[in-house]
């Protein structure tokens, strides 16, 4: 077995690690604390258009469904109880794992707030998008059980070429208009449902936050092209999640600015995530949240996972330059564009929103294979580990074709079956054995 | 009946024709192509706007599974996706649809999108087109948007044909396909009779073959079938338990045959292999593309497009009541997320409105023995049978 030359890099903890944890904790606490944080509470996907309901006021508290499901999944015993509750009510075992955890928690009237369980607070409305088959079905169930008014918008208008984002050409007008028209109806829904007057200025500010936070996250991911990688993917999970919670909030946008500065500083000073980095991989799909120790295990081989299309592109907004370089998309503000009126702002927002890299994989495996190949080349990756995630039909669409496409260009690929949020479908020992074999393929042995 | 060339000869037009077409669908397609010199477009799902394809002198052939074990899709589609989408891809990989001149996917579920994706990559078939049919069909904006997408699709088809499609072409396509929908509805109306003159299996053959046979020929066969029925056809279904089937794609003749052999008759369905695909006619408008867009937005929805309101549920209940269904067999292709999102509330809805249900999970091949026991048990409950008779003393 060949062993790569080992360099020892400097490492140090992230300065803003605690702050990220605090933001996340406060987010879940505020949603439940109706006494100290009175106002409107609403729910929707991590992919929903957060910036729009922000036009209703500053006292809005959002709970995004998938991160909430993941936070339950982190505790295997609790998660099993919630999922069994959902399954006992005849929801299929193979439905989205987050959906089952969420519904179980709702039926048990136990809102999971860190280690505490409290009754679910009243929810004022549902504001949800639809791109995978489960998004609307999930919230129909919530709406019917809780009697919550619901609004949905469809964003399945076809792929967005990230090169058009770089050239500031944008999505075709008819597709944008479809999304914008739905949102205009949605603003009527928000006003009628809550009895509040919608304030465009508040929405504009939230949109600017979202342009900023999602572009900054993409920039942070781009900084991980450096060797050594300033962030490992396991740490990224603690940071990327903030974008999934409330990407349109000033708090999250400001945090990403701070994180960007810190990561840039780490790159400048050669600070790595792993002192013994000698090989780099990317992963694919959500990880099995209850078993993140898999990433620590790979470190024993000097392997760092520098990210994935999932951690980068779930919320990060990228553009592809003419030469194929992937990097953060330039925000409308940085292009000198001001938000002037409702329709113009919604159109800009739709063009931004639809360019999310993770939406593109729904339109064909070639798009995702191409993005993965670019990540391999630009992030200096030696291998790819694809999680065949039984818990999410959306993120694993086309995964087997991605495997074939990457293998065809000579990229070593390993797959393993599991579930992001159902421990009953994850075999830790078996996965470890597969990793051992894959490390051997990469020519790596365990470091002393 | 085989001809000298080995091709099974088509029997005289009538109810038996549809089973023949179903069992020899590839022979039919190849023979049609040779006979007409025209093109065949592979259709992925029943949302493909056939009117535009037909206007160009082509026909759509819906890709269906083969109901046989297969081992060729493992490298392409992860096993947690529905067996139907994998079975369909297997048919392509095995070369069964080698007569396609192009393929079209109209956006429906993620599962089937993978079949299309892998087909494009590994099978190829001339041209391919992804039509982003809106999901939120209940939004009025879906229609305007979809009209725009249909205009692009029409332009694409014109490129393939090398000529423009005129309003007259579209009218011809609309007329033939609307007639097909009307005739199928007429056949379905006969099933309301206390003694239905056609079985559920025969109707499945009629409905599913409409998805791959030239509609003008299919219409002729439907007219012949109607004449047969009008002549007083009796298949002895009076007094049987009246059932409906609801759910994912199902064109398994063995299953339907088994269910109907137990003293039941399938009198109505809400499935894409059946009524869902042809239920509503296109309402003509001066703007033909808008009329087509409206028709597909208005059709009985697949669960993936049925939100925020659950329009399917009252539609299904209406069918059950109008056709006098005493119970419903709720069918789901394993791993079918859209139907999994509907089945729990749909069953509750039906049960609460007096329609008992039994749930069966389908695969590419189905275990007829165990399913028979489930269906028999269901029929016993519907018959309200007292298993132990009047002299039951409670002892076993």
């Amino acid at each position: 077995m060949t062993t790569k030359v080992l360099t020892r890099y400097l490492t140090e903890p992230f300065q803003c690690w605690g702050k990220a944890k605090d933001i996340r904790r406060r987010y879940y606490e505020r949603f439940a604390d109706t006494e100290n944080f009175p106002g409107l509470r609403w729910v929707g996907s991590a992919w929903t258009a957060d910036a729009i309901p922000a036009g209703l006021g500053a006292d809005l508290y959002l709970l995004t469904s998938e991160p909430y499901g993941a936070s339950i999944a982190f505790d295997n015993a609790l998660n099993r109880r919630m999922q069994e509750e959902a399954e006992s009510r005849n929801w299929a075992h193979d439905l989205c794992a987050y959906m089952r955890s969420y519904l179980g928690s709702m039926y048990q009237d136990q809102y999971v707030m860190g280690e505490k369980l409290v009754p679910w607070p009243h929810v004022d409305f549902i504001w949800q998008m639809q791109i995978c088959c489960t998004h609307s079905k999930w919230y129909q169930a919530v709406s019917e059980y809780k009697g919550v008014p619901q609004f949905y918008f469809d964003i399945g208008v076809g792929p967005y070429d990230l090169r058009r984002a770089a050239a500031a050409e944008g999505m075709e007008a008819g597709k944008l208009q479809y999304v914008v028209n739905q949102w205009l109806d949605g603003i009527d829904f928000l006003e009628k449902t809550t009895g509040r007057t919608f304030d465009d200025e508040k929405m504009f500010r939230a949109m600017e936050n979202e342009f900023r936070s999602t572009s900054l996250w993409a920039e942070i991911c781009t900084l991980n092209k450096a060797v050594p990688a300033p962030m490992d993917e396991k740490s990224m999970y603690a940071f990327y999640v903030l974008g999934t919670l409330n990407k349109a909030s000033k708090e999250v946008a400001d945090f990403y600015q701070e994180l960007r500065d810190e990561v840039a500083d780490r790159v400048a000073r050669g600070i790595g995530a792993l002192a013994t980095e000698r090989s780099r991989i990317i992963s694919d799909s959500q990880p099995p949240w209850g078993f993140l120790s898999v990433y620590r295990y790979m470190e024993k081989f000097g392997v760092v996972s520098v990210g994935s299309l999932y951690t980068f592109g779930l919320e990060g907004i990228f553009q592809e330059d003419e030469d194929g370089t992937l990097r953060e998309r330039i925000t409308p503000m940085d292009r000198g564009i001001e938000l002037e009126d409702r329709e113009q702002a919604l159109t800009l927002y739709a063009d931004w929103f639809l360019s999310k890299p993770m939406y593109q994989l729904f339109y064909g495996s070639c798009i995702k294979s191409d993005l993965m190949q670019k990540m391999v080349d630009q992030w200096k990756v030696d291998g790819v580990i694809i999680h065949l995630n039984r818990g999410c039909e959306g993120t694993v669409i086309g995964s087997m074709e991605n495997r074939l496409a990457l293998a065809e260009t000579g990229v070593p690929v390993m797959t393993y079956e599991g579930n992001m949020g159902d421990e009953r479908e994850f075999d830790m020992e078996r996965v470890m054995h597969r990793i051992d074999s894959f490390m051997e393929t990469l020519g790596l042995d365990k470091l002393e | 009946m085989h001809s000298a060339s080995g091709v099974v000869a088509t029997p005289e037009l009538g109810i038996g024709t549809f089973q023949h077409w179903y069992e020899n669908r590839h022979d039919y397609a190849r023979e049609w192509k040779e006979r007409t010199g025209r093109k065949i477009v592979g259709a992925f799902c029943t949302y493909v706007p056939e009117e535009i394809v037909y206007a160009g002198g082509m026909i759509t052939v819906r890709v269906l599974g083969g109901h046989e074990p297969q081992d060729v899709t493992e490298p392409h589609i992860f096993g947690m996706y529905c067996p139907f989408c994998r079975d369909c891809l297997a048919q392509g990989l095995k070369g069964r649809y080698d007569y396609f001149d192009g393929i079209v996917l109209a956006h429906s579920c993620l599962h089937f999108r993978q079949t299309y994706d892998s087909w494009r990559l590994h099978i190829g078939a001339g041209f391919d087109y992804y039509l982003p049919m809106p999901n939120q069909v209940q939004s009025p904006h879906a229609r305007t948007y979809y009209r725009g997408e249909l205009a692009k699709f029409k332009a694409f088809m014109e490129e393939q044909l090398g000529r423009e499609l005129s309003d007259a072409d579209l009218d011809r396509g609309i007329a033939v396909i609307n007639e097909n929908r009307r005739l199928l509805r007429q056949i379905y109306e006969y099933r309301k009779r206390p003694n239905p003159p056609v079985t559920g299996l025969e109707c499945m053959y009629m409905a599913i073959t409409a998805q791959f046979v030239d509609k003008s020929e299919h219409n002729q066969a439907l007219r012949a079938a109607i004449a047969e029925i009008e002549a007083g056809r009796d298949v002895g279904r009076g007094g049987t338990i009246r059932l409906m089937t609801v759910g994912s794609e199902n064109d398994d003749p063995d299953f339907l045959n088994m269910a109907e052999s137990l003293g039941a008759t399938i009198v109505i369905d809400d499935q894409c292999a059946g009524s869902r695909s042809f239920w509503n006619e296109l309402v003509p408008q001066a703007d033909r593309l808008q009329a087509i867009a409206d028709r597909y937005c208005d059709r009985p929805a697949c669960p993936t497009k049925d939100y925020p309101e659950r329009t399917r549920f009252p539609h299904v209940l209406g069918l059950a009541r109008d056709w006098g269904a005493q119970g419903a067999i709720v069918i789901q292709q394993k791993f079918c997320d859209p139907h999994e999102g509907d089945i729990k509330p749909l069953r509750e809805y039906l049960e609460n409105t007096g329609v008992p249900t039994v749930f069966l999970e389908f695969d590419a091949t189905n275990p007829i023995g165990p399913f028979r026991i489930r269906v028999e048990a269901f029929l016993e409950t519907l018959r309200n049978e007292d298993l132990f008779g009047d002299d039951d003393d409670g002892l076993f």
Side-chain angles (χ1 to χ4, degrees):
Chain A
M1 180 177 293
T2 56
T3 305
K4 291 188 179 177
V5 178
L6 186 62
T7 309
R8 281 207 171 267
Y9 299 106
L10 291 173
T11 63
E12 61 182 40
F14 279 94
Q15 302 295 313
C16 56
W17 183 262
K19 195 168 184 178
K21 295 283 182 189
D22 272 352
I23 293 172
R24 184 174 174 278
R25 181 182 47 76
R26 284 203 306 272
Y27 171 87
Y28 285 114
E29 285 175 357
R30 279 194 304 244
F31 187 77
D33 188 354
T34 52
E35 201 179 315
N36 292 307
F37 298 94
L40 297 174
R41 277 163 175 76
W42 67 278
V43 292
S45 162
W47 270 348
T48 196
D50 318 8
I52 298 173
L56 291 173
D59 58 341
L60 257 71
Y61 301 97
L62 153 68
L63 180 73
T64 52
S65 35
E66 297 90 345
Y68 178 69
S71 69
I72 299 174
F74 192 72
D75 180 338
N76 285 326
L78 177 71
N79 193 43
R80 197 179 320 121
R81 180 155 63 80
M82 297 306 184
Q83 294 190 335
E84 283 172 359
E85 174 70 43
E87 288 155 19
S88 73
R89 290 171 185 257
N90 288 327
W91 291 106
H93 172 85
D94 52 275
L95 266 171
C96 166
Y98 292 158
M99 177 181 174
R100 285 180 287 126
S101 303
Y102 184 105
L103 293 182
S105 150
M106 178 184 78
Y107 292 133
Q108 293 212 341
D109 195 24
Q110 292 188 332
Y111 172 76
V112 180
M113 195 172 63
E115 287 174 7
K116 276 191 261 175
L117 298 173
V118 298
W120 268 76
H122 170 78
V123 175
D124 295 286
F125 62 88
I126 291 163
W127 176 262
Q128 171 67 326
M129 46 73 76
Q130 161 97 359
I131 195 167
C132 92
C133 302
T134 310
H135 285 130
S136 58
K137 299 288 117 184
W138 180 335
Y139 276 105
Q140 277 180 315
V142 175
S143 174
E144 285 157 6
Y145 187 75
K146 292 275 203 185
V148 184
Q150 51 185 337
F151 183 83
Y152 301 85
F153 53 93
D154 174 17
I155 59 160
V157 293
Y160 191 117
D161 185 339
L162 299 187
R163 287 167 298 187
R164 290 175 69 91
E169 285 169 344
M171 188 68 135
E172 291 163 62
K175 292 172 187 286
L176 288 180
Q177 197 60 52
Y178 173 46
V179 177
V180 169
N181 285 340
Q182 292 177 78
W183 283 340
L184 287 168
D185 288 353
I187 291 173
D188 290 343
F189 160 85
L190 292 172
E191 286 191 316
K192 280 182 195 143
T193 303
T194 64
R196 292 190 178 189
T197 304
F198 193 84
D199 182 342
D200 284 339
E201 286 298 324
K202 286 193 172 70
M203 178 179 74
F204 295 166
R205 299 295 84 78
M207 285 175 173
E208 286 163 358
N209 288 334
E210 186 167 331
F211 294 145
R212 202 155 59 91
S213 67
T214 50
S215 178
L216 278 165
W217 177 251
E219 189 180 351
I220 292 161
C221 297
T222 306
L223 286 166
N224 231 26
K225 288 177 178 176
V227 178
M231 284 190 301
D232 63 298
E233 195 174 20
K234 189 172 181 297
S235 302
M236 290 175 89
Y237 291 140
F239 298 134
Y240 99 111
V241 73
L242 302 182
T244 71
L245 299 180
N246 204 350
K247 55 194 172 295
S249 70
K250 186 170 183 305
E251 185 181 38
V252 170
D254 288 347
F255 175 81
Y256 280 154
Q257 182 65 56
E258 199 178 324
L259 179 63
R260 190 216 74 95
D261 293 345
E262 186 179 348
V263 175
D265 176 61
R266 286 169 76 97
V267 173
R269 293 189 293 121
I271 305 295
L274 178 65
T276 54
E277 175 183 323
R278 60 174 174 163
S279 193
R280 296 154 71 97
I281 61 146
I282 54 171
S283 71
D284 188 48
S285 187
Q286 298 94 323
W289 291 113
F291 303 92
L292 292 182
S293 52
V294 167
Y295 288 89
R296 292 287 173 253
Y297 183 68
M298 286 191 287
E299 288 177 358
K300 294 180 192 299
F301 295 86
V303 171
V304 61
S305 179
V306 296
S308 61
L309 195 56
Y310 169 76
T311 39
F312 287 14
L314 191 79
E315 299 296 354
I317 300 287
F318 288 74
Q319 66 180 42
E320 185 181 326
D321 290 344
E322 216 168 286
D323 64 358
T325 301
L326 289 174
R327 64 182 181 100
E328 73 283 3
R329 186 172 175 187
I330 309 299
T331 65
M333 295 89 78
D334 286 341
R335 288 189 187 278
I337 301 168
E338 302 232 337
L339 303 182
E340 290 162 351
D341 60 61
R342 184 179 290 183
E343 189 149 353
Q344 175 254 11
L346 287 173
T347 306
L348 277 172
Y349 186 56
D351 190 71
W352 188 265
F353 197 83
L354 295 172
S355 71
K356 206 182 287 291
M358 279 294 281
Y359 290 160
Q360 313 320 318
L361 62 95
F362 288 94
Y363 303 112
S365 62
C366 292
I367 301 174
K368 185 175 166 195
S369 297
D370 179 58
L371 287 169
M372 289 176 90
Q373 185 65 52
K374 287 193 167 77
M375 286 178 68
V376 166
D377 296 339
Q378 294 172 29
W379 273 259
K380 305 164 193 77
V381 166
D382 303 297
V384 177
I385 296 185
I386 295 176
H387 178 197
L388 297 173
N389 179 1
R390 303 186 77 90
C392 179
E393 59 150 2
T395 61
V396 293
I397 185 169
S399 288
M400 298 302 283
E401 293 294 359
N402 301 140
R403 182 185 73 87
L404 289 175
L406 290 166
E408 208 161 281
T409 62
V411 180
V413 186
M414 172 196 137
T415 60
Y416 69 97
E417 280 195 34
N419 191 311
M420 64 192 179
D422 190 341
E423 60 156 341
R424 295 168 295 183
E425 293 192 313
F426 184 74
D427 184 338
M428 184 78 166
E429 282 307 308
R430 195 161 156 229
V431 171
M432 293 300 198
H433 287 311
R434 286 185 81 100
I435 289 173
D436 285 342
S437 306
F438 190 57
M439 295 298 117
E440 205 172 317
T441 307
L442 295 177
L444 302 168
D445 50 12
K446 277 187 191 165
L447 299 167
E448 292 304 317
Chain B
M1 189 187 345
H2 287 76
S3 68
S5 63
V7 175
V8 183
T10 308
E12 198 177 328
L13 285 184
I15 289 172
T17 309
F18 304 100
Q19 180 178 355
H20 170 82
W21 276 336
Y22 178 81
E23 289 170 355
N24 302 281
R25 70 186 86 149
H26 303 301
D27 291 338
Y28 169 83
R30 288 191 187 91
E31 187 274 330
W32 180 88
K33 203 170 168 175
E34 200 180 317
R35 171 162 48 91
T36 64
R38 284 146 56 185
K39 290 183 175 174
I40 293 182
V41 178
F44 288 69
C45 253
T46 55
Y47 280 97
V48 174
E50 299 173 85
E51 291 85 348
I52 296 174
V53 177
Y54 205 85
M58 299 177 269
I59 60 167
T60 51
V61 166
R62 184 184 180 190
V63 176
L64 292 168
H67 299 292
E68 57 194 7
Q70 55 89 13
D71 59 357
V72 293
T73 60
E74 187 93 350
H76 305 290
I77 301 183
F78 178 32
M80 67 163 275
Y81 286 90
C82 86
F84 177 65
C85 80
R86 286 179 279 132
D87 189 6
C88 286
L89 177 62
Q91 301 308 304
L93 291 169
K94 289 176 175 179
R96 305 251 166 91
Y97 287 101
D98 58 0
Y99 47 83
F100 281 173
D101 296 288
I103 54 171
V104 179
L105 169 76
H107 174 119
S108 54
C109 67
L110 297 189
H111 297 247
F112 220 66
R113 208 174 305 169
Q114 289 197 114
T115 309
Y116 170 79
D117 182 52
S118 292
W119 199 295
R120 283 179 63 226
L121 285 169
H122 304 290
I123 300 162
F127 60 84
D128 56 73
Y129 195 90
Y130 168 70
L131 181 59
M133 160 85 195
N135 261 342
Q136 189 132 343
V137 292
Q138 292 175 24
S139 163
H141 308 299
R143 292 152 196 267
T144 319
Y145 161 68
Y146 196 38
R147 194 227 172 268
E149 291 299 329
L150 288 178
K152 287 184 222 163
F153 176 58
K154 177 172 166 278
F156 175 82
M157 293 309 285
E158 286 170 341
E159 252 176 61
Q160 306 309 314
L161 286 163
R163 70 175 176 91
E164 279 191 18
L165 293 175
S166 64
D167 279 352
D169 291 327
L170 288 172
D171 288 343
R172 190 171 40 81
I174 289 167
V176 171
I177 290 164
N178 255 356
E179 184 185 6
N180 190 256
R181 292 169 182 145
R182 202 174 309 131
L183 292 169
L184 280 166
R185 280 291 292 263
Q186 195 178 337
I187 296 278
Y188 268 50
E189 282 296 314
Y190 292 123
R191 303 167 81 186
K192 285 180 176 170
R193 292 178 180 175
N195 181 12
V198 281
T199 65
L201 177 59
E202 286 170 334
C203 279
M204 188 278 283
Y205 286 135
M206 290 187 211
I208 196 81
T209 51
Q211 299 177 14
F212 56 78
V213 165
D214 182 336
K215 291 286 196 299
S216 60
E217 294 175 14
H218 200 263
N219 288 346
Q220 285 177 40
L222 285 173
R223 282 192 288 270
I226 288 167
E228 229 178 301
I229 292 167
E230 289 291 346
R233 189 171 195 260
D234 186 346
V235 285
R237 308 310 295 183
T240 56
I241 297 276
R242 301 172 69 86
L243 295 179
M244 82 180 297
T245 51
V246 191
S248 305
E249 199 282 339
N250 163 39
D251 67 309
D252 184 345
D254 292 341
F255 172 77
L256 292 174
N257 192 39
M258 175 275 288
E260 294 196 311
S261 72
L262 302 173
T265 303
I266 313 292
V267 292
I268 189 65
D269 70 82
D270 175 62
Q271 297 192 286
C272 63
S275 72
R276 212 152 57 218
S277 64
F278 67 78
W279 205 243
N280 63 324
E281 282 187 42
L282 178 149
V283 180
Q285 299 176 35
D287 182 342
R288 275 73 169 175
L289 292 181
Q290 191 59 63
I292 296 170
D294 289 354
R295 190 270 162 188
Y296 285 89
C297 288
D298 286 335
R299 60 164 269 187
C302 166
T304 201
K305 296 184 190 291
D306 199 35
Y307 65 93
E309 198 187 326
R310 292 195 192 269
T311 62
R312 278 188 74 219
F313 293 13
H315 172 69
V316 169
L317 180 63
L319 293 178
R321 285 187 172 155
D322 292 348
W323 269 260
Q326 295 161 266
I329 301 178
V330 179
I331 288 166
Q332 181 218 309
Q333 287 282 339
K334 191 172 175 62
F335 304 128
C336 171
D337 296 85
H339 280 278
E340 284 178 348
D342 263 15
I343 279 174
K344 169 195 154 56
L346 175 63
R347 289 188 70 194
E348 288 168 357
Y349 177 86
L350 289 175
E351 300 269 356
N352 291 337
T353 47
V355 183
T357 66
V358 64
F359 171 71
L360 297 174
E361 187 177 72
F362 270 43
D363 209 323
T365 59
N366 290 311
I368 293 298
F371 277 6
R372 175 193 296 274
I373 293 167
R374 301 281 305 280
V375 174
E376 269 175 341
F378 183 54
L379 293 174
E380 281 169 9
T381 62
L382 292 178
R383 289 191 195 103
N384 211 8
E385 283 177 2
D386 185 346
L387 296 179
F388 306 106
D390 292 337
D391 58 348
D392 177 18
D393 58 4
L395 300 174
F396 296 91

